[in-house]
Amino acid sequence: MELIILYKEAKLNTKLKELLIEELNLVDVSVDEIEDDAPLFGEGLGLDSLDAVEIVVLVQKNFNVEIKNMEEGKAAFQSVNSLVDFIKERQA
Amino acid sequence: MKRKKQWSSRSLAPAFFHNIFYGLIRLLGRPGAYSLLFFVVLFYTLLPGVNKRAQEYIRRRFKPQNELSRMRHTFLLYWNFGKMLVDRSVLRILGDFNAHGPDEDISRLQELYARHKRLILLTAHVGCWQMGFSYLGFLDAPKAVVMLMDRGDVDKHSFKWKMSGGSGKEEEITVINPAAPLGGTLEMLTALRENSVLCINGDRTMGESRHNVQVDFLGGKIELPITPFKIAATTETPVAIVFSTRSRTGEGIFRVAEIIHVPVDTGKGAVRGPEAFIPYAQKFSAELERYCQENPYQFYNFYNMWN
């Protein structure tokens, strides 16, 4: 059972990374190069405020989950893992 | 890389001087404040450090022939700006300002909002831009404005205004601070999701320079932000370029210059990244230039935009 959950999480992480690369035009980055715990903004992946707009929209479009304000965004935008956690929590 | 900010929302004068103006408005109304304003503007016109701020615009817009004409343009520019600030305070203190506009523009904006259930009004620091919002009562929608509020701001802004374009009721306007984390972009998205009319100034850059593009303006190149166009594309929201003009004492005209629809996939096709938004930023710049030709003393960006 735990293995199935871990597999599903890994798939969601990969799906999210693929969407980030596609939607944010991260042309020189591959899925393997994005670390699950690395910060999305600033150091780490180096995303910025306009990328945040894209992430909010892609999360809503692909996972039907809304990130409404900075308070929610602050928690969700920490890393790929935190974004996945946020999506799972809202979908539950 | 962060671009060095060349302007500030902070007032030149300390709070004490603002309070003198507010007191005069309460005691003598607008004429009293205008009388003092004349001497204040004259002082600033003669103050090299202050009048220097407007010189690049004056050089490009008026091509002054000599020092006297340069000083005249500087005085008139600051005089109009000062009168706008007094009128803004009069609106806050006495509730007196009459904004109006052509019926056809009202219909255009109403139809646009009815169709999309959200709208971006892209404007600039010109005319009576803040008071122009008091005209938006004809749009039955929540309203939000993106505006920098520096810690040192002593000039009072009021965003609870008696709307002059429709119901005449008082309305609260939400202020979104672009200096907030992530440039206030999430709050802008939320406002649009909640069917708001979102007012953004498109003539000043903030934050990361990779969000800016170069466009033509008054014979040179300036940088403009792509944020309004990016948000418009992402949320499929139409952009109405609107400008207000201070037509006379206590009165302003609000006009729609152009409507822009930014395709949702802009920046993801053959032209990727910020460059894809240049045509839209250039359109805004062209409308702004047209405005400066028609209203030369109502342009309030007091720094060298071409630098």
Side-chain angles (χ1 to χ4, degrees), chain B residues 57 61 217-218 288-296 299:
Chain B
Y57 169 72
R61 171 60 187 84
F217 182 64
L218 289 175
L288 188 58
E289 186 167 319
R290 192 199 311 266
Y291 179 93
C292 291
Q293 299 300 344
E294 292 168 0
N295 306 280
F299 181 74

Side-chain angles (χ1 to χ4, degrees), chain B residues 22 53 86 100 130 142 214 264 268:
Chain B
Y22 301 149
R53 297 181 181 196
V86 167
H100 57 95
Q130 282 189 21
Q214 289 214 332
V264 70
K268 294 176 182 173

Side-chain angles (χ1 to χ4, degrees), chain B residues 21-23 25-26 88-96:
Chain B
F21 273 99
Y22 301 149
I25 289 168
R26 286 191 180 93
R88 194 170 77 187
S89 299
V90 170
L91 171 64
R92 183 176 62 82
I93 294 166
L94 306 176
D96 174 25

Side-chain angles (χ1 to χ4, degrees), chain B:
Chain B
M1 191 181 80
K2 283 212 166 186
R3 179 184 165 83
K4 192 184 168 200
K5 201 171 78 174
Q6 298 184 72
W7 55 273
S8 161
S9 67
R10 293 183 189 191
S11 172
L12 283 172
F16 172 70
F17 289 109
H18 284 265
N19 288 330
I20 291 176
F21 273 99
Y22 301 149
L24 271 175
I25 289 168
R26 286 191 180 93
L27 277 173
L28 305 170
R30 194 182 270 115
Y34 278 178
S35 303
L36 176 62
L37 178 70
F38 177 83
F39 296 102
V40 172
V41 169
L42 195 62
F43 171 72
Y44 281 139
T45 303
L46 296 171
L47 206 64
V50 177
N51 84 33
K52 189 182 159 198
R53 297 181 181 196
Q55 292 319 303
E56 192 58 25
Y57 169 72
I58 286 171
R59 188 179 74 76
R60 289 174 180 275
R61 171 60 187 84
F62 301 101
K63 299 178 175 56
Q65 300 299 308
N66 55 43
E67 186 68 10
L68 196 63
S69 76
R70 188 182 67 78
M71 291 300 272
R72 180 178 159 271
H73 292 311
T74 308
F75 177 83
L76 289 173
L77 189 62
Y78 286 162
W79 175 238
N80 274 278
F81 180 59
K83 284 198 289 189
M84 184 277 291
L85 293 179
V86 167
D87 282 357
R88 194 170 77 187
S89 299
V90 170
L91 171 64
R92 183 176 62 82
I93 294 166
L94 306 176
D96 174 25
F97 190 81
N98 179 29
H100 57 95
D103 289 344
E104 66 209 82
D105 286 358
I106 293 177
S107 303
R108 277 176 93 184
L109 293 181
Q110 281 175 331
E111 282 167 23
L112 210 55
Y113 180 77
R115 203 176 321 136
H116 298 270
K117 293 291 173 215
R118 54 182 175 265
L119 182 61
I120 291 175
L121 296 183
L122 188 61
T123 187
H125 295 83
V126 298
C128 48
W129 67 275
Q130 282 189 21
M131 289 169 288
F133 298 146
S134 72
Y135 172 63
L136 298 177
F138 63 84
L139 286 171
D140 186 18
K143 289 153 191 106
V145 56
V146 180
M147 202 180 86
L148 183 71
M149 301 287 271
D150 266 351
R151 267 187 172 186
D153 281 347
V154 290
D155 190 12
K156 302 282 191 300
H157 304 278
S158 175
F159 290 96
K160 189 178 178 184
W161 283 330
K162 190 174 178 184
M163 294 299 194
S164 59
S167 59
K169 66 181 178 185
E170 278 205 343
E171 222 176 287
E172 194 83 52
I173 295 178
T174 305
V175 178
I176 296 172
N177 190 354
L182 296 180
T185 49
L186 296 195
E187 285 71 18
M188 293 182 219
L189 283 184
T190 301
L192 292 172
R193 274 180 184 151
E194 291 171 353
N195 306 119
S196 290
V197 173
L198 179 66
C199 305
I200 308 177
N201 277 305
D203 57 341
R204 287 183 191 164
T205 56
M206 280 194 68
E208 298 97 340
S209 58
R210 69 184 179 115
H211 293 165
N212 305 331
V213 289
Q214 289 214 332
V215 295
D216 300 316
F217 182 64
L218 289 175
K221 292 277 185 189
I222 60 165
E223 281 198 352
L224 291 183
I226 63 161
T227 306
F229 309 108
K230 176 73 177 176
I231 287 178
T234 312
T235 57
E236 295 178 77
T237 305
V239 179
I241 299 174
V242 296
F243 296 123
S244 61
T245 310
R246 189 180 169 282
S247 49
R248 57 177 155 168
T249 302
E251 198 171 295
I253 298 171
F254 184 90
R255 286 210 176 101
V256 177
E258 185 67 79
I259 307 289
I260 299 177
H261 295 275
V262 187
V264 70
D265 55 355
T266 305
K268 294 176 182 173
V271 183
R272 297 172 85 86
E275 283 69 29
F277 294 92
I278 288 177
Y280 310 105
Q282 185 61 66
K283 184 72 199 159
F284 173 72
S285 172
E287 294 300 335
L288 188 58
E289 186 167 319
R290 192 199 311 266
Y291 179 93
C292 291
Q293 299 300 344
E294 292 168 0
N295 306 280
Y297 299 112
Q298 297 198 37
F299 181 74
Y300 312 135
N301 283 303
F302 300 117
Y303 66 97
N304 185 355
M305 301 174 84
W306 297 264
N307 185 5

Side-chain angles (χ1 to χ4, degrees), chain A residues 1-10:
Chain A
M1 187 68 176
E2 273 182 13
L3 271 176
I4 293 171
I5 292 170
L6 282 173
Y7 174 70
K8 277 185 177 173
E9 275 189 22

